Amino acid sequence: MSILTPAVTGSDQLHRDALTVLQPGFVGTATPPDWVRRHLADGLGSVALFGRNVVDLKQLASLTAQLRAENPDLLIAIDEEGGDVTRLEAPSGSSWPGNLALGAIDDVALTESVARELARALVACGVNHNWAPSADVNSDPRNPVIGVRSFGDDPELCARHTAAWVTGLQSAGVAACAKHFPGHGDTAIDSHLGLPVVDVDVDLLRSRDLPPFLAAIEAGAKSVMTAHIMVPALDPALPATLSRSVLTDLLRGQMGYQGLIVTDGIEMGAISDTYGMGNGTVRALAAGADAICVGGGHDDEETVLHLRDAIVEGVRSGELAEERLADAAQRVRALGSWARIEAQAGQADPELAIGLRAARRALRVVRAPGRTFAPVTERPFVASLSAEPNFAVGYETPWGVSAMLADRFPGTSTAAVGPEDAAPGALAATADRLLAGAEGRSLVLVVRDEHRYPWMTELLARLLTARPDAAVVEMGVPQAKPAGALYVATHGAARVCGLAAVEVLTGQ
């Protein structure tokens, strides 16, 4: 059969169920594309929103209202973790600190409150399914994709804050999604690019990686997202997203989870480059997944038709039981119905100020003995040292403190420094250039995950040798030793984290 068959009639339950389990993205901000409307009429049960769909909150509310007019029980999903990973506020940075900041504070009541206020903002925009929180325990400090998205490296801390976040979000009528099962924290590869392997024994998985997911289940999490990772102790042949041992035997069976299981993006390299999107989709459903996330990079009708027809063909060939597909589709519809009813309870204006208050509490401030940092009172020089952000964070969201200081002090000078500026033979010249620019000014050095990048550590050391009076602001995981006359760890790069750091830099 053609992989691009036309739209189907409403009486074809198999095709309707195949559409229901997809969570596709699309391009558009003012109105949904015609193809989305057609497939909603044919049974599509979810859509996924990304930064490309958001101009502002009023616009997003209009867009989601048009989508819901086609299906009142539609699940409208978004990847809104707060902190570094934001879609609602991608152009400006988030009003809410992320998980690492909340974990650093370790106040579960605050975590619950932050999640509740974020949920109210989502409800106001018509969003009812949030692919958050990250329940991963960041046990590998080299982790390139989790990092500040985790509450920390302690399983019990992660567990209690995961539960609080789930409770807060769902109390305002937005379905939470604990991710990335069975735990993406012990990886040194980004699953957007390849297939990570977590090669540890089952006892360590149970004591380290699974407690936050158990806590999420006990808190009533409406959905769990799979990880595109290999865990040989659970399944030596298949990644978790495609493994019946992981999704059905462990998550559903041993852990007793009965909610929606959604995959991480099926187009991510860990699956699409190894199994193909269509084959991966069928295998995931057969393994126990109920919804297929797609659309971060493939946002067109062709992708939806390709996956729909792959599912139909999987049923007809016997690779996917029709009863398994029907069960998955029913779980999607049931969650959509829950969200329609519960969203009414979350209709209240969000308290945005709580985000800045939390970001202030998350700061770790270290003043070097014997050195004095004079608060910034006029045009400083700000150098931001960073590698490229990971795929989950994206390239469009600003970070740092340079723009905020420039707003306060016209004439502020800034420099962005990347790995190419610290390549062999270039590092000394880069240091000299920055020091020349900072002559006669306060010097603020902003880093992100310094511990992961030797070039950053070396450049920072050169600069601080010449300017021991400089301030260092770490906006990633504060794993490296504090340095500078003033050291500020924000535990994340959300806009409010930057604002809180600026308050300290300026002596407020």
Side-chain angles (χ1 to χ4, degrees):
M1 62 180 289
S2 170
I3 202 66
L4 296 179
T5 55
V8 298
T9 64
S11 61
D12 187 338
Q13 192 61 45
L14 175 57
H15 283 79
R16 292 188 70 83
D17 286 350
L19 281 172
T20 297
V21 300
L22 300 180
Q23 290 193 335
F26 60 88
V27 175
T29 57
T31 59
D34 288 341
W35 66 264
V36 172
R37 294 181 186 274
R38 289 197 307 273
H39 292 305
L40 286 172
D42 287 336
L44 186 64
S46 307
V47 294
L49 300 176
F50 295 89
R52 60 172 176 255
N53 301 115
V54 182
V55 176
D56 55 48
L57 304 189
K58 182 178 179 181
Q59 161 270 327
L60 185 58
S62 173
L63 179 65
T64 58
Q66 295 174 67
L67 289 164
R68 191 158 285 109
E70 306 287 339
N71 176 4
D73 285 347
L74 181 67
L75 278 179
I76 300 179
I78 199 167
D79 196 5
E80 181 57 51
E81 300 177 11
D84 291 33
V85 179
T86 179
R87 308 303 178 225
L88 285 185
E89 299 178 281
S92 63
S94 181
S95 297
W96 293 274
N99 282 6
L100 189 65
L102 295 171
I105 300 166
D106 196 13
D107 179 343
V108 291
L110 178 65
T111 294
E112 183 176 334
S113 295
V114 167
R116 181 174 57 251
E117 300 310 317
L118 189 153
R120 285 175 173 163
L122 291 171
V123 169
C125 298
V127 176
N128 56 17
H129 187 199
N130 190 9
W131 295 323
S134 172
D136 306 294
V137 178
N138 196 54
S139 52
D140 187 340
R142 302 169 300 162
N143 199 309
V145 69
I146 302 301
V148 296
R149 302 168 66 197
S150 167
F151 289 109
D153 58 8
D154 178 77
E156 294 308 314
L157 179 143
C158 290
R160 61 180 174 265
H161 285 279
T162 294
W165 214 95
V166 167
T167 299
L169 194 79
Q170 294 188 169
S171 71
V174 177
C177 184
K179 63 187 183 185
H180 308 77
F181 186 81
H184 207 313
D186 189 12
T187 59
I189 295 174
D190 185 342
S191 54
H192 291 87
L193 305 175
L195 183 58
V197 177
V198 179
D199 195 7
V200 299
D201 61 38
V202 172
D203 288 342
L204 182 55
L205 285 169
R206 292 190 183 280
S207 64
R208 182 191 66 187
D209 297 291
L210 296 185
F213 293 98
L214 282 167
I217 292 169
E218 291 172 0
K222 294 297 180 181
S223 62
V224 169
M225 179 175 279
T226 69
H228 300 330
I229 59 173
M230 289 290 296
V231 188
L234 300 177
D235 189 325
L238 293 170
T241 295
L242 311 185
S243 171
R244 182 175 177 83
S245 296
V246 174
L247 302 188
T248 298
D249 297 343
L250 176 59
L251 182 55
R252 290 249 188 259
Q254 297 176 39
M255 298 174 69
Y257 179 65
Q258 296 304 312
L260 187 81
I261 300 176
V262 58
T263 70
D264 206 346
I266 206 70
E267 74 267 43
M268 290 165 58
I271 299 297
S272 64
D273 292 347
T274 308
Y275 301 92
M277 287 198 299
N279 183 35
T281 292
V282 173
R283 284 175 172 245
L285 291 167
D290 305 304
I292 307 296
C293 167
V294 67
H298 294 259
D299 49 25
D300 50 32
E301 183 181 20
E302 183 176 355
T303 297
V304 172
L305 292 172
H306 172 67
L307 298 185
R308 182 201 68 184
D309 289 356
I311 294 169
V312 170
E313 185 59 32
V315 171
R316 290 174 174 167
S317 69
E319 186 176 358
L320 172 63
E322 189 166 3
E323 295 79 9
R324 169 79 272 275
L325 175 62
D327 173 65
Q330 181 53 37
R331 290 180 189 274
V332 173
R333 297 182 187 112
L335 185 55
S337 179
W338 174 90
R340 172 177 53 79
I341 296 168
E342 293 297 321
Q344 298 173 8
Q347 291 179 352
D349 292 335
E351 183 196 347
L352 298 179
I354 193 174
L356 181 56
R357 292 202 302 271
R360 289 168 177 156
R361 290 181 60 186
L363 293 182
R364 176 188 172 204
V365 180
V366 179
R367 300 180 188 275
R371 297 189 209 170
T372 300
F373 176 80
V376 177
T377 57
E378 57 181 351
R379 53 190 192 92
F381 186 89
V382 185
S384 301
L385 286 57
S386 178
E388 290 187 342
N390 65 58
F391 278 76
V393 173
Y395 299 93
E396 58 191 346
T397 303
W399 74 283
V401 300
S402 57
M404 298 172 189
L405 286 170
D407 285 342
R408 286 167 170 76
F409 306 113
T412 293
S413 293
T414 64
V417 183
E420 66 281 358
D421 299 302
L427 189 140
T430 296
D432 290 343
R433 171 172 59 85
L434 296 175
L435 290 168
E439 188 173 356
R441 300 171 179 248
S442 298
L443 175 59
V444 179
L445 303 170
V446 189
V447 296
R448 199 174 190 179
D449 287 345
E450 181 212 331
H451 68 282
R452 292 180 52 216
Y453 304 105
W455 69 264
M456 201 179 292
T457 299
E458 185 177 353
L459 180 57
L460 201 63
R462 282 179 177 261
L463 295 171
L464 291 174
T465 297
R467 288 291 302 270
D469 62 320
V472 175
V473 180
E474 169 63 85
M475 302 194 77
V477 179
Q479 192 82 18
K481 183 179 179 180
L486 176 72
Y487 174 86
V488 182
T490 62
H491 299 92
R495 176 173 51 83
V496 288
C497 295
L499 287 171
V502 165
E503 290 178 343
V504 174
L505 292 169
T506 57
Q508 294 181 352

